[in-house]
């Protein structure tokens, strides 16, 4: 029976083995032959040429002793003549045998590396699954969105110190990155909705998401070095940058006090749902400002000690915290303005809604509705308007929510003529979109891609004046973002010696959370350059 090892070899491999064996045997025989040949001829004597008889006889009688001496002298070289010349050829043969053996070894090694027989092929890497592509796309969306938001925040400080002409390249890069990110979010949104359906096309869509995000990061990375040259944070530009950051810090400190008073007043004449979008924002703003205070002080100390690299990193951390404190305070101020505007608009929205209902009752529906559908929607709208009127008289109430309910009740009638309710819907949508954007911005260290993509979709809907869709998407994005933050928790809770405000800075993405001290601060740039100001804080 043939061995399994032999059966597994191709005929060509067996032939090569016999060729190598033949080479080795031939080399060995030649080498041994040349080594043995000199030994076999050592005892032989070359014949002495015969001389004429007479001459020999006379010479023998006269000079026998001298002949004996010469004979011994001649015989000596003949006996030792095999010691050098005869060993040259055996040595060459031995070298040839070694060369042949080495050649066979090299051929065998090369064939083993490239062999394709079963059992010797290296396993191919596993094929990525759709879930692998999705994870990659999700991570790319979060990273690109973080880079865009961080770049926008630092650019605000740069624009405060330099002219429009000097900052124009960075503004252009940021806008290009935002465009790429928006396109990536749109592709992902369609992917989540099942478009396209073909498996290969869906995989290609995910590749498109990753590619768009990578291009967004590349556009920002390309301008990071030029921004550093403009700012000169590790050189003469540090003093001016510190003054700018400290000026905004002092301004925000005063605005935070005012925002706290404003929020207290809102609690007095609004429902908890009216102020819910900014609950805790004043406290978070104070927390970011505490962190900024520490960073600015340490940046000043590092600058005085000529530690420019460390000072630049601490300044960037302070700028990030100040920028987020400004987002939080501005959100409180904006909500107060929106609530006042909404309260003024509610009576007009009610009047406009009554007109829409009257038109619908007289057959003014934009799309054909059955009598039963029309009656049901009119009854619902009447109930909504009656509830809002009651809230106006009893108070307190949520003006934005009242406008939302009025606008949706009218929207369902599909008359195509909204008037004041349409203006109310746009106000509500703008408020929801801005609120979701603010929340994601100051909690981006914990927010996943779903909320970010929904926000991007809400912004597109708002840009197309589709207020109800924008409002719904923005509220869903906010809900998802809040869920992510609750699941994330506080990784620095209970940690001894934690720097004041560190947890908030990490949660807000001011620091990258790569070390116990919070890691490097984020800066203008893409994935390659955003952590370039990495100098561990004392």
């Amino acid at each position: 029976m043939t061995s399994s090892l032999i059966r597994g070899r191709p005929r060509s491999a067996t032939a090569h083995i016999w060729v190598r064996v033949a080479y080795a045997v031939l080399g060995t025989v030649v080498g041994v032959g040349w080594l043995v040949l000199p030994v076999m001829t050592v005892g032989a004597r070359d014949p002495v040429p015969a001389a004429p008889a007479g001459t020999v006889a006379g010479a023998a009688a006269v000079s026998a002793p001298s002949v004996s001496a010469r004979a011994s002298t001649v015989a000596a070289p003949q006996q030792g003549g095999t010691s050098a010349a005869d060993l040259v050829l055996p040595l060459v043969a031995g070298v040839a045998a070694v060369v042949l053996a080495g050649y066979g070894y090299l051929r065998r090694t090369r064939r083993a590396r490239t062999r394709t027989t079963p059992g010797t092929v290296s396993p191919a890497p596993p094929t990525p699954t759709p879930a692998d592509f999705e994870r990659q796309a999700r991570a790319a969306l979060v990273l690109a969105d973080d880079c865009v938001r961080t770049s926008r925040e630092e650019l605000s400080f740069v624009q405060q110190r330099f002219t429009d002409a000097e900052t124009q390249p960075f503004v252009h890069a940021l806008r290009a990155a935002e465009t790429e990110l928006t396109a990536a979010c749109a592709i992902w949104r369609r992917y989540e909705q099942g478009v396209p359906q073909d498996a290969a096309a869906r995989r290609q869509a995910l590749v498109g998401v990753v590619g768009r995000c990578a291009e967004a990061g590349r556009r920002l990375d390309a301008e990071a070095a030029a921004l550093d040259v403009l700012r000169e944070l590790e050189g003469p530009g540090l003093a001016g940058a510190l003054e700018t950051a400290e000026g905004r810090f002092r301004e925000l400190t005063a605005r935070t006090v005012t925002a706290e008073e404003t929020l207290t007043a809102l609690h007095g004449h609004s429902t908890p749902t009216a102020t819910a979008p900014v609950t805790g924002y004043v406290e978070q703003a104070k927390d970011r400002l505490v962190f900024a205070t520490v960073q600015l002080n340490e940046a000043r100390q590092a600058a005085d000690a000529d530690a420019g690299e460390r000072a630049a990193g601490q300044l960037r951390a302070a700028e990030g915290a100040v920028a987020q404190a400004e987002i939080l305070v501005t959100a409180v101020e904006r909500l107060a303005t929106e609530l006042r505007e909404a309260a003024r608009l509610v009576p007009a929205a009610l009047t406009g809604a009554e007109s829409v209902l009257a038109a619908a009752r007289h057959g003014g529906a934009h799309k054909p509705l059955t009598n039963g559908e029309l009656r049901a929607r009119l009854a619902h709208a009447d109930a909504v308007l009656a509830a809002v009127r009651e809230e106006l008289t009893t108070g307190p109430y949520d003006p934005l929510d009242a406008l939302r309910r009025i606008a949706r009740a009218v929207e369902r009638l599909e008359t195509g003529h909204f008037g004041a309710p349409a203006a109310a819907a746009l106000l509500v949508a703008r408020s929801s979109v801005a609120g979701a954007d603010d929340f994601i911005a100051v909690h981006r260290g914990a927010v996943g891609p779903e909320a970010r993509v929904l926000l991007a979709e809400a912004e597109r809907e708002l840009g197309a004046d589709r207020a109800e869709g924008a409002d719904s998407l923005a509220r869903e994005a906010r809900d998802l973002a809040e869920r992510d933050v609750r699941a994330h928790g506080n990784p620095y809770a209970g940690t001894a010696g934690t720097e004041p405000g560190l947890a908030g800075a990490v949660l807000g993405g001011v620091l990258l959370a790569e070390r116990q001290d919070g890691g490097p601060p984020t800066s203008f740039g893409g994935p390659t350059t955003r952590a370039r100001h990495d100098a561990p804080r004392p």
Side-chain angles (χ1 to χ4, degrees):
M1 182 173 63
T2 307
S3 169
S4 61
L5 293 177
I6 296 177
R7 287 198 307 268
R9 293 183 181 275
R11 289 181 175 272
S12 60
T14 306
H16 285 309
I17 292 175
W18 285 110
V19 170
R20 291 197 298 271
V21 171
Y23 284 159
V25 171
L26 177 62
T28 303
V29 170
V30 172
V32 171
W34 282 105
L35 289 173
V36 173
L37 182 61
V39 178
M40 296 176 62
T41 60
V42 167
R45 294 290 185 271
D46 292 336
V48 180
T55 305
V56 174
V62 175
S63 56
S66 62
V67 171
S68 299
R70 286 195 302 269
S72 63
T73 302
V74 171
Q78 289 175 348
Q79 295 172 1
T82 62
S83 62
D86 290 342
L87 292 177
V88 171
L89 289 177
L91 180 60
V92 171
V95 171
V98 172
V99 170
L100 289 172
Y103 173 73
Y105 173 78
L106 290 176
R107 285 177 60 86
R108 184 170 61 254
T109 303
R110 187 180 301 112
R111 186 175 295 108
R113 290 175 180 172
T114 59
R115 183 173 294 159
T116 59
T117 55
T120 61
V121 179
S122 300
T127 303
T129 64
D132 294 331
F133 284 111
E134 287 183 7
R135 280 192 293 270
Q136 186 179 6
R138 288 162 56 88
L141 285 167
V142 171
L143 179 58
D145 189 55
D146 283 349
C147 290
V148 166
R149 291 179 181 276
T150 299
S151 299
R152 188 185 300 133
E153 290 172 0
E154 181 175 0
L155 189 57
S156 68
F157 288 89
V158 178
Q159 290 174 313
Q160 196 169 342
R161 287 196 61 217
F162 298 95
T163 65
D164 292 342
E166 291 173 309
T167 60
Q168 191 273 336
F170 314 112
V171 173
H172 178 74
L174 178 59
R175 289 175 179 170
E178 289 171 342
T179 300
E180 295 292 342
L181 177 59
T182 299
C185 289
I187 297 172
W188 177 263
R189 177 66 175 165
R190 290 194 297 271
Y191 178 87
E192 286 184 316
Q193 294 172 338
V195 180
Q197 296 181 351
D198 178 69
R202 288 178 66 78
R203 186 164 55 250
Q204 191 61 34
L206 294 177
V207 172
V209 171
V210 175
R212 291 282 192 170
C213 292
E215 179 61 15
R218 189 195 67 78
R219 300 297 288 265
L220 296 172
D221 279 330
E223 298 296 335
L227 186 74
D228 289 345
V229 171
L230 178 65
R231 299 198 73 186
E232 295 183 299
L233 293 184
E234 297 181 16
L238 178 62
L242 276 170
E243 291 177 1
T244 300
E246 289 169 345
R248 286 179 64 170
F249 171 84
R250 288 189 294 269
E251 176 190 352
L252 273 172
T253 301
R255 286 176 58 190
T256 302
V257 174
T258 304
E260 187 171 21
E261 296 172 351
T262 300
L263 194 55
T264 301
L266 288 176
H267 286 311
H269 56 79
S270 299
T271 61
T273 59
T275 58
V278 296
T279 298
Y281 274 24
V282 172
E283 290 74 16
Q284 291 184 54
K286 291 179 179 179
D287 182 74
R288 300 293 197 279
L289 291 176
V290 168
F291 180 79
T293 300
V294 175
Q295 299 306 310
L296 288 171
N297 289 338
E298 291 181 352
R300 279 288 182 190
Q301 294 171 6
D304 294 339
D306 292 330
E309 183 180 0
R310 182 158 59 87
Q314 289 165 332
L315 172 62
R316 275 300 307 132
E319 288 177 341
V322 169
Q324 294 204 354
E326 186 169 11
I327 291 173
L328 292 162
V329 171
T330 301
V332 175
E333 297 170 343
R334 186 185 62 249
L335 179 62
T337 301
E338 290 168 346
L339 288 173
R340 288 193 296 268
E341 184 178 354
R344 289 194 299 267
L345 191 56
V346 166
L350 284 170
T351 302
E354 290 287 357
S355 300
V356 174
L357 265 64
R361 288 189 177 95
H362 290 85
H366 183 63
K367 292 182 179 180
L369 296 173
T370 64
N371 291 333
E373 288 176 333
L374 181 58
R375 285 195 298 270
R377 295 186 183 188
L378 286 171
H380 172 74
D382 285 333
V384 168
L385 298 184
V388 171
R389 289 193 189 92
E390 184 177 358
E391 291 173 2
L392 283 175
T393 57
T394 59
Y397 73 109
D398 181 352
L400 284 171
D401 183 63
L403 290 180
R404 178 181 293 111
R405 286 180 288 154
I406 293 171
R408 289 187 177 180
V410 171
E411 178 79 18
R412 296 182 69 241
L413 295 176
E414 301 179 357
T415 62
H417 303 285
F418 304 134
L426 285 174
L427 173 62
V428 170
R430 285 195 297 267
S431 177
S432 298
V433 170
D437 185 58
D438 292 339
F439 186 88
I440 292 174
V442 298
H443 298 90
R444 61 177 177 263
V447 177
E450 293 84 2
R452 302 173 193 243
V453 170
L454 284 176
L455 174 61
E457 183 69 15
E459 291 172 341
R460 285 193 295 272
E461 289 286 301
L462 185 61
D465 290 334
R466 293 189 288 266
E468 184 177 2
D471 178 54
S472 298
L473 288 166
R475 286 161 64 83
E476 185 180 356
R478 174 71 180 259
D479 290 342
L480 289 174
E482 290 178 351
R483 183 197 64 186
D484 290 341
V485 172
R486 288 193 298 270
H488 182 269
N490 180 8
Y492 294 92
T495 304
T498 300
E499 184 178 349
L502 179 63
V506 171
L507 181 63
V510 175
L511 304 177
L512 289 180
E514 295 178 355
R515 296 190 301 265
Q516 188 62 32
D517 66 352
T522 54
S523 301
F524 182 103
T528 304
T529 58
R530 66 171 183 157
R532 62 189 179 277
H533 294 299
D534 185 10
R537 292 179 297 280

